[in-house]
Amino acid sequence: MRQQADTLAKEVEHRAKIETAITCIANGIRNDDSDRFFEDVAFHLSEVAEAKYAFIGLLRKPNDGMVDTIAAIAGGSVIDNISYSIKGAPCEQVVGRETCVYHNNVCQQFPEDELLVEMGAESYIGAPMIDEDGNHLGLVAILHDKPAFTDKHLQEIIEIFAARAAAEIRRIRAEEKVRRLAYIDYLTQLPNHAAMYLELKQLEERTYRNQYQSGIIYIDLDNFKHINNSYGHDLADDVIASVGKSLAHQFSDSVFVA
């Protein structure tokens, strides 16, 4: 009887963890900090699954077989992100396909996966992250160094976490696109007037705070009005784009060119 009570208590505790984690994910954990968001997703997933490892990885390029992690958890702690090849790995079965579950002997099934062997992984679950157009962004995966993941609902849970992480990636990329449209000049692909004024304000603050000098060089193109009037806007645009490209290549990254 005591054993049954302990088992039931553990089950209730486990279900409470799952409910809490899913609620946090649904509400958007630390939505104002993308790095911490993904770390929290991975951490909660490792807790729910009682997994030793959890990570979220993005495909570097379509079909190049490389994944860069944006969050990685080992033993309940955040670790440095890594890049790795998914060739010959269980992740290869996930990316572009579907959720995969290996309850045990995963290293023996994928002996070419050096990272898997190095971690001493015994069990694995991975779920793909997909955008609204059906393009594969990467994957969410959990691993353990012992046979595990027997909970029949765990596959659904990791798919929920993968969907939430994918939604966050889409949001971040959409914001980056809007920001680029707002602050980049379409012709030269350099920062535009709005970006320049923002940089000047920040430069003024840094200069005052650190007590160092700064310089601004303003460049005017001689006879540009003549080029515009005599040869047309298309050629004038080419001149501006060429000058912008030249300036961008002449200076180091520490110099702001707009």
Side-chain angles (χ1 to χ4, degrees):
M1 196 68 144
R2 177 64 180 273
Q3 186 177 1
Q4 290 178 340
D6 289 343
T7 301
L8 180 60
K10 287 181 180 178
E11 177 68 16
V12 170
E13 183 182 359
H14 182 59
R15 292 299 169 189
K17 277 185 180 179
I18 292 174
E19 184 177 342
T20 300
I22 291 178
T23 301
C24 288
I25 296 301
N27 292 337
I29 310 172
R30 291 175 181 153
N31 212 9
D32 58 334
D33 188 335
S34 58
D35 290 337
R36 293 298 298 274
F37 172 86
F38 294 114
E39 289 173 359
D40 281 347
V41 169
F43 176 77
H44 278 282
L45 186 56
S46 68
E47 264 205 333
V48 168
E50 298 178 353
K52 185 173 182 180
Y53 302 100
F55 67 84
I56 302 172
L58 292 179
L59 279 171
R60 188 176 297 175
K61 292 179 182 178
N63 304 317
D64 79 340
M66 293 297 297
V67 163
D68 301 313
T69 66
I70 55 175
I73 302 292
S77 299
V78 176
I79 60 174
D80 292 338
N81 285 311
I82 60 171
S83 300
Y84 66 96
S85 171
I86 61 173
K87 185 177 181 181
C91 296
E92 188 177 21
Q93 308 303 313
V94 177
V95 174
R97 300 183 187 182
E98 58 186 6
T99 303
C100 290
V101 182
Y102 299 93
H103 296 291
N104 51 51
N105 301 320
V106 67
C107 277
Q108 286 82 350
Q109 296 180 61
F110 297 92
E112 295 180 15
D113 188 345
E114 296 180 2
L115 183 61
L116 205 66
V117 174
E118 182 182 331
M119 291 189 296
E122 180 70 17
S123 48
Y124 172 101
I125 302 182
M129 294 190 298
I130 303 170
D131 68 13
E132 67 274 18
D133 298 320
N135 300 312
H136 288 265
L137 304 171
L139 75 158
V140 175
I142 50 177
L143 305 91
H144 213 324
D145 56 0
K146 60 184 180 182
F149 309 140
T150 55
D151 188 327
K152 62 181 180 180
H153 300 298
L154 194 52
Q155 181 174 333
E156 295 177 3
I157 292 168
I158 192 173
E159 288 172 349
I160 291 171
F161 277 57
R164 182 62 184 90
E168 186 68 8
I169 290 167
R170 294 196 299 270
R171 184 189 69 81
I172 291 169
R173 290 182 174 179
E175 284 187 356
E176 288 175 348
K177 185 176 181 180
V178 170
R179 192 177 298 112
R180 182 171 179 80
L181 290 172
Y183 290 106
I184 296 295
D185 175 63
Y186 81 97
L187 187 61
T188 62
Q189 292 302 297
L190 292 173
N192 61 12
H193 283 86
M196 181 184 70
Y197 292 135
L198 183 63
E199 174 67 18
L200 287 175
K201 183 177 180 181
Q202 293 173 349
L203 177 64
E204 182 182 20
E205 292 173 356
R206 291 196 303 269
T207 302
Y208 178 79
R209 182 173 61 251
N210 299 316
Q211 296 298 304
Y212 59 60
Q213 293 183 330
S214 301
I216 299 173
I217 300 175
Y218 180 82
I219 297 176
D220 187 21
L221 299 181
D222 290 339
N223 301 315
F224 181 74
K225 185 176 181 181
H226 173 72
I227 294 173
N228 206 27
N229 293 338
S230 300
Y231 300 101
H233 295 296
D234 290 342
L235 183 62
D237 286 349
D238 288 343
V239 171
I240 294 175
S242 178
V243 171
K245 185 176 180 180
S246 178
L247 288 173
H249 282 86
Q250 289 294 325
F251 297 104
S252 66
D253 292 339
S254 62
V255 177
F256 182 84
V257 181

